[in-house]
Amino acid sequence: MTENAIFLPSDQSLTIALFVLPQASILEVASALDPLRNANRHLGNEAYRWRVVTPDGRPAPLTCGLELPSSGPLAHAAGAEALIVIAGYRLNEVATRPLISELRRIAPRFRLVGGIDAAPRVLARAGLLDGYRATVHWEDLEDLAAAHPEIDVVPDRFVIDRNRVTISGAAPAADFMLHLIRARHGAALARQVAASFLATVRKGSEPQIGRGPDPDLDPRVAAALARMEARIDAPEPASATARAVGVSPRRLEGLFRASLGTTPAAHALDLRLQAARRMLTDTRHPLAEVALRTGFSSPSTLSRALRARFGQPPGALRRQI
């Protein structure tokens, strides 16, 4: 991990501008700002300062229905040392060409430019991640890598590469801020801030969804779930999953019913349908591609399955973008 001078010990105040796009998550905003606020509280001074800017300078509507106040448009970020973009849903609507152009123009003014959740896709469209190592929310990893082969895409929680930082979601945003606090003010302060939120310090190189053992989940169920999640585009029969984890199909079904209240086949199908719905609402992939990437034999087969699961055909789901 290659870092820049922002991550050296310093008593100088650091100003971060958050560029929040409409339909971002309030949790991501809080995860970025509250560790800084808490660090200031422990230090007794404004070691960290911030300002929130939005595309039009007006309050940004968030996914929860609340509006986030803004200090102005993107131009008001000038003077900050770091610019962090926060984006969530409806990128095709909110990440307009003028916004991309303005972001590309203003980026060289900052010592560090970054993005949280879906925002690395915005940075990529602006050409700001070309030749960099980067991450993005796990739902967007494949799309980012396919659309931008010039970026070294990895499934880490957050990645710092020279004057760029990419952060995969809300919890990793807090991880990154703790990393920044540790770098500038020491491990003791970072641990104090983490303890204030009943959190732990996690490394950026940790996988996004590579969770440790769940003490409440049978290891065979956990292994089966991992196989299903890794085979969205090429699902295997429940009997094959059972063999792979060392039990009979009947035993695996009993374990699933006891742990999750469903069957292995039903759970695997739901994973694929949830993935298909995400692609329909968050991307412009043709229905045929969505079907292929979620393991359905044809668009019509996927359409019938979506209607049965969500009560709506693909077109109606896509109009929710």
Side-chain angles (χ1 to χ4, degrees):
M1 182 185 295
T2 306
E3 301 182 0
N4 66 20
I6 275 183
F7 300 95
L8 295 177
S10 175
D11 293 326
Q12 298 295 313
S13 178
L14 178 71
T15 300
I16 297 176
L18 291 186
F19 184 34
V20 182
L21 274 58
Q23 297 306 309
S25 164
I26 194 171
L27 187 57
E28 288 156 359
V29 176
S31 295
L33 293 184
D34 256 7
L36 304 180
R37 173 202 58 79
N38 193 270
N40 287 348
R41 174 174 172 267
H42 284 290
L43 289 168
N45 61 70
E46 283 195 329
Y48 300 95
R49 299 174 179 173
W50 53 86
R51 66 189 70 151
V52 173
V53 297
T54 55
D56 58 8
R58 295 197 293 265
L62 303 177
T63 53
C64 63
L66 297 179
E67 291 192 336
L68 183 70
S70 170
S71 62
L74 181 56
H76 285 211
E81 284 82 15
L83 174 68
I84 307 294
V85 185
I86 302 181
Y89 296 104
R90 301 184 182 177
L91 281 195
N92 293 326
E93 174 186 326
V94 302
T96 62
R97 287 188 178 182
L99 181 147
I100 295 295
S101 296
E102 186 176 9
L103 184 61
R104 184 186 301 116
R105 178 186 60 80
I106 201 173
R109 301 183 186 182
F110 303 94
R111 294 165 60 191
L112 182 72
V113 174
I116 298 174
D117 197 337
R121 292 172 58 192
V122 180
L123 300 182
R125 292 179 189 180
L128 298 175
L129 296 180
D130 292 359
Y132 286 87
R133 190 168 178 265
T135 192
V136 70
H137 191 280
W138 63 268
E139 293 177 357
D140 296 325
L141 281 166
E142 186 176 347
D143 283 334
L144 181 65
H148 300 277
E150 64 279 6
I151 301 172
D152 180 12
V153 179
V154 296
D156 295 5
R157 293 178 69 81
F158 67 85
V159 174
I160 303 166
D161 187 356
R162 293 162 285 170
N163 59 347
R164 298 287 185 267
V165 59
T166 47
I167 303 165
S168 59
D175 297 337
F176 167 73
M177 292 304 173
L178 289 171
H179 174 85
L180 176 66
I181 292 164
R182 178 188 177 114
R184 292 179 68 85
H185 289 98
L189 178 60
R191 292 179 68 87
Q192 285 180 312
V193 172
S196 295
F197 297 105
L198 306 182
T200 56
V201 179
R202 299 186 63 176
K203 295 181 180 179
S205 57
E206 291 186 30
Q208 295 178 31
I209 55 176
R211 299 178 296 273
D214 184 339
D216 296 324
L217 198 63
D218 187 287
R220 293 162 293 186
V221 173
L225 291 174
R227 289 184 67 85
M228 293 173 185
E229 291 165 359
R231 290 166 171 77
I232 296 293
D233 61 339
E236 64 184 6
S239 58
T241 304
R243 285 195 300 272
V245 302
V247 297
S248 69
R250 183 174 180 179
R251 178 58 176 153
L252 185 63
E253 180 168 335
L255 291 170
F256 260 68
R257 288 191 183 280
S259 298
L260 304 175
T262 187
T263 66
H267 185 78
L269 176 60
D270 198 58
L271 286 175
R272 293 160 57 208
L273 289 172
Q274 294 287 357
R277 182 171 67 168
R278 285 196 300 270
M279 290 183 201
L280 288 168
T281 58
D282 297 349
T283 77
R284 292 179 176 172
H285 295 325
L287 184 60
E289 182 176 349
V290 175
L292 179 66
R293 291 173 61 170
T294 53
F296 289 90
S297 59
S298 68
S300 60
T301 303
L302 172 59
S303 181
R304 287 193 297 271
L306 287 168
R307 187 185 290 273
R309 173 64 176 82
F310 300 113
Q312 294 178 304
L317 293 169
R318 175 148 278 171
R319 285 194 293 273
Q320 295 175 11
I321 295 178

